Structures are given as structure tokens and as C-alpha cells.
Amino acid sequence: MEAVAPACVAQRTATVLENVAVAHETFRIRLDDPEMARSILPGQFLMIRGGRGSDPLMGRPFAVYDVARDPSGTPTAVDVVYLVIGRGTAALATLRAGDRVTIWGPLGHGFGPPPEGPVVFVAGGIGQTPFLALGKWWLGHEPFGPVETVSSDSPGRFASSATLLYGVRTAALAAGVDDFERAGITVELATDDGTAGHHGFVTQLLERRLERGERPAKVIGCGPPPMLAALSRLVARYEVPCDLSLENHMACGFGACFSCVAPIRQADGSIDLRRVCVEGPIFPAADVVWTG
């Protein structure tokens, strides 16, 4: 499955429409930017610099969570969900409606067209964030981006079902579960401490399904590297198609700094470092090289 090429990138300021808590230390910020809302695709991301003055100096990358629409269905704003883990996200959490932030995007490549059949999203930590928009698109519920991604004239184009397997440290960190369920995406939780759902690794939920003989048309993973490495090994064993959305640390977001490179296997079998911000963030699981 080929990723969708990025649209033209632009840097500008956007007004915060709301910034609300959705879980422990987790927020959803809505940015008034109709141009970004019309152009961004599921899987792409934007950089946000939310501090006042020059601190923090660099922006932070965030996957598009959803696109807000007016009553006519026209895209008007972009939603991002973030976990407070450092100075950049702590600065974002202080913003209120009416504040202005610097943003640039859309960045990276979006996901390719939907497969026909069931799809499974596997998320760890804050890795669920790319999957709400993707699920809406792949299930045929909403269009995204500058091209028509939903068409009632093409039955059978879309995924038959979507399931989110979502792993967090503790139940208080599970963010947006209601959003996914309202979008028709089934959610199964796994927690490290057993406070909700399966007590253990989120990859174990997928392994159970595969052991029962279930065969997803596609698996998509996003989360911390150890989880993605385990997911890659699992889907390889069962020969299930899988793409990964990598979360490598980024400084610039447009390929100049080379801070986000990942070792990716090439068609000739060689391994080369690829910039996640420009050539990703989505790569076939079989092409990502994990060490250790």
C-alpha cells in the first residue's frame, strides 16, 4: 500500500478554539485553521510551537486526531490530542481559547487507501492519536484531504470493520475511547497495572486474535519502539500485512536536521537511514529494522 504524498506545507499562526482534558495529563486542542483542515490526511502530522515568546524555541510534532466540520460538513479546524511529558507539551496545556500558536504542516505522508476487510489498529501510550481520523476514512464515514476519500458510488472500497487495541500504563491514561466508539471503531484496552481490560501487553490482544485464526486485511501500529518491535515480529510470524506510524523525536519536521532518522530496509536488501518526518512517518513493518 503506497502512502499518500504530502500537500504543500505552510507555516502560520492559528487560534486555539478549545483545549480540554480528555484523560489524566492528556488534552485535546482544537485549532482554527480551515486551510489545514481541508488539506491534512490521516497519518500526516503538524508541528505546533505553543510557548509564549521564544521558549520553547522548537515546535513539537502531533498526528492529526480529527478534523472539525461546520454544519454543512466543511472542514474548519484541526484536533490534536497530546500527553504532557515535557516543556513543549506543558506549554500547550496552559493555552486557552483565543490564544495564538505557530503551526506548520501538513507534514509527512498520509496512509494509503483502505483495504477491503477488517482492520486492526494497535496503539501504545499516546499512539492512538492517528487512528480516529484513519478509522473514519477507512470505514467510509468521512472524507479527508484535498481529494474525495469517501464515495457512496463505490461500495466495497472500504474496510468492513475497525478495531482499536489500545495499551496504556493505567486506565486513567486511556484517552478518547468514546470518540472511537462513536465512530464505529471497537475498542479493547490493555493496561500494565490491570486497572482496565487485559492485564498485560497490548500485542497480546492481537496475538490472541491471530491464534484463533482471525486474519485482518491490515494491521496498523503506533506507539513506543519496544511495542512496535514486538508487533513487527508478531505480524511477520503470521504473515499479516502491517504498516507502522513511527514516533521518532523531531526538531524541524521538514527533513533539514536529520534528528528523526530510522533504519529502513530498501528494495535491494540494504539498510538506509530515512527521515521519518519527510519519508514517513508510515513505513511497512517488514522494512523497519529493530536492534536489540
Side-chain angles (χ1 to χ4, degrees), residues 57-124:
L57 178 62
M58 305 302 293
R60 301 295 189 271
F62 301 97
V64 59
Y65 180 69
D66 202 2
V67 167
R69 305 170 192 272
D70 66 17
S72 71
T74 301
T76 58
V78 175
D79 286 351
V80 160
V81 168
Y82 63 95
L83 174 67
V84 176
I85 55 176
R87 285 194 310 128
T89 46
L92 280 184
T94 67
L95 297 176
R96 299 293 180 266
D99 288 341
R100 302 277 284 173
V101 295
T102 300
I103 65 173
W104 53 102
L107 298 165
H109 289 263
F111 288 102
E116 294 184 24
V119 295
V120 176
F121 308 133
V122 183

Side-chain angles (χ1 to χ4, degrees), residues 10-70:
Q11 179 174 320
R12 52 191 175 273
T13 58
T15 300
V16 176
L17 295 177
E18 58 184 29
N19 193 19
V20 295
V22 292
H24 177 68
E25 291 297 304
T26 309
F27 297 83
R28 177 180 55 75
I29 189 169
R30 177 165 293 176
L31 303 174
D32 182 16
D33 192 331
E35 183 179 349
M36 179 84 74
R38 288 192 302 267
S39 61
I40 199 162
L41 291 162
Q44 290 187 296
F45 65 97
L46 59 152
M47 300 288 284
I48 305 175
R49 189 168 72 80
R52 293 170 172 82
S54 61
D55 185 32
L57 178 62
M58 305 302 293
R60 301 295 189 271
F62 301 97
V64 59
Y65 180 69
D66 202 2
V67 167
R69 305 170 192 272
D70 66 17

Side-chain angles (χ1 to χ4, degrees), residues 226-249:
M227 186 213 85
L228 295 184
L231 176 61
S232 297
R233 292 190 291 269
L234 177 61
V235 294
R237 192 162 77 242
Y238 285 89
E239 299 182 333
V240 174
C242 178
D243 288 338
L244 305 178
S245 180
L246 301 185
E247 296 184 322
N248 294 33
H249 293 291

Side-chain angles (χ1 to χ4, degrees), residues 50-274:
R52 293 170 172 82
S54 61
D55 185 32
L57 178 62
M58 305 302 293
R60 301 295 189 271
F62 301 97
V64 59
Y65 180 69
D66 202 2
V67 167
R69 305 170 192 272
D70 66 17
S72 71
T74 301
T76 58
V78 175
D79 286 351
V80 160
V81 168
Y82 63 95
L83 174 67
V84 176
I85 55 176
R87 285 194 310 128
T89 46
L92 280 184
T94 67
L95 297 176
R96 299 293 180 266
D99 288 341
R100 302 277 284 173
V101 295
T102 300
I103 65 173
W104 53 102
L107 298 165
H109 289 263
F111 288 102
E116 294 184 24
V119 295
V120 176
F121 308 133
V122 183
I126 198 67
Q128 89 285 9
T129 53
F131 296 145
L132 180 64
L134 181 60
K136 288 183 174 183
W137 172 28
W138 276 8
L139 289 172
H141 296 336
E142 290 184 2
F144 289 86
V147 297
E148 187 66 34
T149 53
V150 174
S151 173
S152 59
D153 298 329
S154 303
R157 278 184 55 200
F158 302 107
S160 58
S161 66
T163 300
L164 172 65
L165 307 181
Y166 182 14
V168 288
R169 294 195 308 273
T170 187
L173 290 169
V177 172
D178 290 345
D179 294 336
F180 285 92
E181 291 177 339
R182 281 193 295 268
I185 302 167
T186 302
V187 180
E188 294 183 26
L189 289 176
T191 52
D192 292 347
D193 62 3
T195 49
H198 170 68
H199 187 184
F201 297 130
V202 68
T203 50
Q204 292 171 332
L205 292 176
L206 178 62
E207 187 171 21
R208 289 178 180 177
R209 289 170 167 263
L210 299 177
E211 287 176 344
R212 293 197 300 263
E214 295 186 25
R215 176 79 182 184
K218 192 81 169 181
V219 171
I220 307 288
C222 185
M227 186 213 85
L228 295 184
L231 176 61
S232 297
R233 292 190 291 269
L234 177 61
V235 294
R237 192 162 77 242
Y238 285 89
E239 299 182 333
V240 174
C242 178
D243 288 338
L244 305 178
S245 180
L246 301 185
E247 296 184 322
N248 294 33
H249 293 291
M250 299 177 189
C252 71
F254 51 84
C257 69
F258 283 78
S259 66
C260 64
V261 294
I264 304 296
R265 185 172 289 104
Q266 306 303 300
D268 63 1
S270 64
I271 297 171
D272 195 10
L273 295 177
R274 296 297 187 186

